């Protein structure tokens, strides 16, 4: 059974993984007959109250909160090697841009969490495919933009697309249930909640993206 | 557009709503062309660390945590009237048995949160259907067992089924993607993670349960 790594960044769109995107990623992997291997870094996040969208001043642990989505079946990313996986995917949510990287603050000058960067570089070197949805493709641009100039999508948000282009990556517009494949770099990306107005659009877009990711294995 | 109330109890299987069940409930409602109206009580919960499954000693707010699943689009249940809804459904997770009721501690002698009880009684009186999945049917048994003797399912767990029977309700065994309909009382229930071994089974069971709930409107 093919093993697909799922890199989570917390539990909730404003300070972690977008929950619907993460759940539909796990669903699509199961429906495709593959096994999801959930992981997250053991670092702190700054809590946002999801009722008010304001920072609460509280800190929580990214690995512990991600474990909510994974029902406890999750590893510290530092223990996961690329040799154990056939592919890897990053759901979206602000956690991808605030916890796994600092793209939300630094845009094209963002850096990526060391363990996330290590795993993604090792996957690339091993010619194993990488997927990302919603804002997470910006993390791939920050990591690989200069070296690989990958083509990715976050939908059609002009400001975010401009920051992605500044990294050296190439942004390509894409409709909500579609995806963009960079075959040379084995990278597949899809807009999800960067464009979606309905939860069913997110489910369809993520499902299409995961299916394409698995085809690239 | 039909409005389906979704009563949440936090965000995470061990101290709130089971996330996959809640997300698939929202998905099924959208796919059926209806509108989900998310709600939760403004009360405290006792946090469980989902990596270790141990109590952390921390408190969080049920409404604020539920807002993570609802992406902020959620109401305090005390503001929601049965007249505004066409049906209501409760996803599972320990939150249904620890926050919305005390079934996890008191079994058949459990009582139900006042606002949850008020809304469910008003829905019943208005002949509007009620759905519940996973452990949440036990809450319906605790609330309605003596008066209505409803037939419900939580799958096949003997201990939980015995507690449900003690309330005056009748437990009926059911496979993971099936559901049990009590047509007289307009109550539909399904086992979800009380039986499921795979996330896709949960998606299918919840989808079938929501479709039947909507047929009962």
């Amino acid at each position: 059974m093919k093993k697909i790594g799922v890199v989570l960044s917390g539990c909730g769109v404003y300070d972690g993984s977008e929950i619907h995107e993460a759940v539909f990623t796990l669903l699509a992997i199961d429906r495709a007959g593959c096994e999801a291997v959930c992981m997250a870094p053991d670092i702190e996040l700054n809590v946002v109250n999801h009722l008010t969208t304001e920072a609460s001043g509280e800190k929580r642990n990214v690995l512990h909160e991600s474990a909510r989505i994974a029902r406890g079946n999750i590893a510290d990313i530092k223990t996961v090697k690329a040799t154990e996986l056939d592919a890897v995917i990053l759901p979206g949510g602000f956690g991808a841009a605030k916890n796994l990287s600092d793209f939300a603050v630094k845009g094209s000058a963002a850096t990526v969490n060391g363990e996330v960067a290590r795993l993604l570089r090792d996957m690339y070197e091993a010619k194993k495919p990488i997927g990302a949805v919603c804002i997470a493709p910006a993390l791939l641009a920050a990591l690989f933009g200069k070296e690989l100039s990958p083509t990715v999508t976050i939908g059609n948000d002009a400001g975010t697309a401009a920051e992605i282009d500044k990294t050296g990556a190439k942004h390509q517009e894409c409709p909500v249930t579609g995806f963009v494949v960079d075959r040379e770099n084995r990278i597949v990306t899809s807009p999800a909640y960067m464009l979606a107005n309905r939860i069913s659009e997110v489910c369809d877009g993520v499902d299409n993206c995961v299916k394409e990711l698995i085809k690239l294995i």
Side-chain angles (χ1 to χ4, degrees), chain A residues 80-212:
Chain A
V80 181
K81 298 189 180 88
T83 51
E84 301 161 24
L85 302 174
D86 296 290
V88 69
I89 185 164
L90 296 92
F94 276 99
K98 296 200 293 191
N99 307 333
L100 304 187
S101 76
D102 53 8
F103 184 86
V105 178
K106 298 195 181 161
S108 59
T111 54
V112 175
N113 170 281
E115 291 297 335
V116 174
R118 186 260 317 157
L119 182 67
L120 292 175
R121 285 187 188 285
D122 288 354
M123 293 296 286
Y124 174 77
E125 292 296 333
K127 301 191 188 304
K128 292 178 176 180
I130 298 170
V133 304
C134 189
I135 192 63
L139 180 156
L140 300 185
L143 183 65
F144 293 126
K146 205 173 288 180
E147 292 162 67
L148 308 179
S149 200
T151 301
V152 300
T153 190
I154 50 85
N156 61 13
D157 182 74
T160 309
E163 288 301 314
I164 285 174
D165 285 342
K166 273 196 247 171
T167 66
K170 292 184 284 287
H171 184 265
Q172 186 176 311
E173 287 199 13
C174 179
V176 62
T177 60
F179 52 83
V180 166
V181 194
D182 179 332
R183 294 196 184 277
E184 196 185 326
N185 293 311
R186 293 177 198 80
I187 289 173
V188 53
T189 51
S190 184
Y193 271 119
M194 286 296 290
L195 280 182
N197 293 310
R198 294 175 62 169
I199 187 171
S200 53
E201 292 174 336
V202 177
C203 187
D204 293 344
V206 169
D207 192 59
N208 290 335
C209 185
V210 168
K211 278 180 183 151
E212 188 66 23

Side-chain angles (χ1 to χ4, degrees), chain A residues 15 43-47 58-62 65 68:
Chain A
D15 60 15
I43 57 174
E44 276 189 337
L45 63 79
N46 294 307
V47 174
E58 194 190 341
K59 304 265 188 196
R60 293 182 186 173
N61 178 287
V62 170
E65 297 311 310
R68 294 174 175 273

Side-chain angles (χ1 to χ4, degrees), chain A residues 8-69:
Chain A
L8 299 175
S9 62
C11 180
V13 57
Y14 297 121
D15 60 15
S17 286
E18 205 298 309
I19 291 173
H20 305 183
E21 291 170 4
V23 171
F24 295 144
T25 300
L26 300 179
L27 177 66
I29 290 169
D30 186 36
R31 288 231 196 268
C34 299
E35 182 186 340
V37 178
C38 291
M39 67 194 81
D42 186 8
I43 57 174
E44 276 189 337
L45 63 79
N46 294 307
V47 174
V48 174
N49 178 321
H50 280 56
L51 192 63
T52 63
T53 71
E54 282 167 16
S56 74
E58 194 190 341
K59 304 265 188 196
R60 293 182 186 173
N61 178 287
V62 170
L63 178 57
H64 295 182
E65 297 311 310
S66 300
R68 294 174 175 273
I69 293 172

